Amino acid sequence: MPEAASPISPPARVTVIGLGNMGRPMAACIARGGYAVTGFDLSQDARARFEADGGRTAPDMAQAVADAAVVITLLPNGKIVRAAVEQMRPHLRPDAVIVDMSSSDPLGTRKLGEELAAAGFAFLDAPVSGGVKKAAEGTLAIMVGGDAAAIDRVAPVLQTMGKSIFRTGPLGSGHAVKALNNYVSAAGLVAAIEALHVGKAFGIDPNVIVDVLNASTGRNNSTENKLKQFVISESYASGFALDLMAKDIRTADDLAAAIGVPAAAALAAHADRAVFAPVPPDAAAGAEVWALVDAERERMRREASFGARWRARLSLRSFRERMRRIAAGTDRHR
Ligand code: NAD
C-alpha cells in the first residue's frame, strides 16, 4: 500500500476545531481511541470546558493544526468552515486530511474541496447524526463523502466516534444525505408536537399520548427520545439549537432547488418549512430547538383556528401570505 493511503493510526495527532455541544464529546472519543488530540475554539469558555475534562487546547488556529495528520471541523455552518479552513491552510501539513463533520451545505463543500484539491490537500465531508448523547457514547451515525483512499486513511479515526459509518459517494454527498435526514427528522418532530397539542387540548395526558405513539405506527425519533425527555419535562436541554435545525432544512430545500428536482416544491410546502421558514439564519442562535418549536406550535394553535392553520400549511405561499397579514395586523386569527 503506498504511504499516502496508509490508515492514520494511534497515536497520530488529530485536531478538532469547534469544541461545542458536539465537538467536545467527539474529541473526547478520539482521545479515548489513543490519538493525540488538540482542540481549538474561538470561545475561551469552550476551550476552558474542554481543558476541565482533561483535553489539550491550542491558543490559536496556527498552533492547533501544525503537525496534525487529521483536522476535523465541527462548526456551525459551511461558511464558517470555509473561513476556518482558509485560516488554517498556510499552517497545515502537506499530507493532512481535513474532515468537515459539521452539517454544511453540500454545494459549498464541493467548491471548497475543488479549491483544496488544486492546492494538494485531501478534504472529506463526514457529518454525523445522533445528537449529544451518541456523540458522548461514540455511537454516532457518520455519513462520509469523498475520495475513497482519503476515507481509508481516516477510517480508524471515524471509528472512534461512530457505530455506523456510511460511504455515501463523492465529496458533498455526506452533507446532502445529512440535510435530507434532518429534514425528515424535523418533519417527525413537528408532526409529533402538533399531535401533542391537539391531544392536550382534547384533555389527554401528554405522557399517555407519547406512550401510545411509541407503541404504535406514529413512533419516531422525537416521540422516543425528545418529547418526554425535553418537551413535556420542559427541560429543553437536548443540546440542539433551533438555528442549526433551520439551517439543515434550508440546506435540503436549497439542494433540491439547485439540482432542479421538483421535490423542492414539496419540501417548501411542507409544514416544517412553514414552521422554520420565518427563522432567519442567525436568529435565536443557541436557543434550544425543542423549546422554540414547541412554543411556535403553541402560538400557532392559539392564534389560528384549526381550519386556518390547515390552509396555512397547504403551501408556503399561503403561509407567507398569512405571515404578511399578521405583520400588517390584518389577520383575523391573530
Ligand atoms: P455549537 O454551537 O455547540 O458549537 C460550535 C462551536 O464552534 C462553538 O463552541 C463556537 O465557539 C465554535 N466556533 C464558531 N466559529 C469558530 C471558528 N471560526 N473557529 C473556531 N471555533 C469556532 O454547535 P454543535 O451543536 O456542536 O454543532 C456543530 C455542528 O454539528 C453543526 O454544524 C451542527 O449542525 C452539527 N450537528 C449538531 C448536532 C447536535 O445535536 N447539536 C447533531 C448533529 C450535527
Side-chain angles (χ1 to χ4, degrees), residues 20-22 41-42 75-76 80 102-103 128 131 178 239-240 244 247:
N21 286 321
M22 296 298 280
D41 196 296
L42 279 185
L75 296 168
I80 294 174
S102 328
S103 306
V128 301
K178 167 66 187 174
F240 190 40
L244 294 181
K247 170 201 66 176

Side-chain angles (χ1 to χ4, degrees), residues 17-26 40-44 46-47 49 61 73-78 80-81 83-84 87 100-104 127-133 135 140 178 182 226 238-241 243-245 247-248 286 290:
I17 308 291
L19 302 171
N21 286 321
M22 296 298 280
R24 192 154 50 101
M26 288 166 69
F40 177 69
D41 196 296
L42 279 185
S43 150
Q44 169 79 47
R47 293 204 301 272
R49 275 195 299 272
M61 184 71 90
T73 44
L74 270 156
L75 296 168
N77 59 53
I80 294 174
V81 170
Q87 197 190 345
D100 181 21
M101 302 191 78
S102 328
S103 306
S104 302
V128 301
S129 186
V132 173
K133 183 169 176 285
L140 290 164
K178 167 66 187 174
N182 275 29
K226 310 292 178 192
S238 77
F240 190 40
D243 52 328
L244 294 181
M245 185 176 261
K247 170 201 66 176
D248 292 335
W290 318 105

Side-chain angles (χ1 to χ4, degrees), residues 8-12 33-36 156:
I8 295 169
S9 308
Y35 290 91

Side-chain angles (χ1 to χ4, degrees), residues 70-74 97-102 122-127 144 150 154 158:
V70 183
V71 177
I72 290 172
T73 44
L74 270 156
V97 185
I98 308 157
V99 188
D100 181 21
M101 302 191 78
S102 328
F123 182 57
L124 300 170
D125 56 320
V144 52
V154 300
L158 299 182

Side-chain angles (χ1 to χ4, degrees), residues 142-278:
I142 302 178
M143 42 226 98
V144 52
D147 175 67
I151 298 175
D152 289 342
R153 291 186 65 205
V154 300
V157 180
L158 299 182
Q159 278 155 9
T160 65
M161 295 172 274
K163 194 166 73 171
S164 323
I165 298 172
F166 299 94
R167 294 186 183 223
T168 50
L171 186 69
S173 59
H175 282 152
V177 179
K178 167 66 187 174
L180 294 169
N181 172 75
N182 275 29
Y183 163 71
V184 173
S185 174
L189 164 68
V190 173
I193 286 182
E194 184 71 17
L196 213 58
H197 284 312
V198 174
K200 265 164 67 181
F202 198 68
I204 307 168
D205 178 345
N207 288 293
V208 171
I209 300 171
V210 175
D211 288 342
V212 171
L213 290 172
N214 284 339
S216 310
T217 50
R219 184 177 69 244
N220 65 36
N221 178 57
S222 291
T223 66
E224 288 186 323
N225 301 313
K226 310 292 178 192
L227 291 189
K228 281 193 183 182
Q229 295 85 338
F230 304 115
V231 178
I232 295 174
S233 72
E234 297 185 7
S235 77
Y236 302 129
S238 77
F240 190 40
L242 175 67
D243 52 328
L244 294 181
M245 185 176 261
K247 170 201 66 176
D248 292 335
I249 292 167
R250 268 189 215 98
T251 303
D253 202 24
D254 291 348
L255 176 68
I259 57 181
V261 173
L267 291 184
H270 196 275
D272 300 281
R273 187 68 177 156
V275 168
F276 291 110

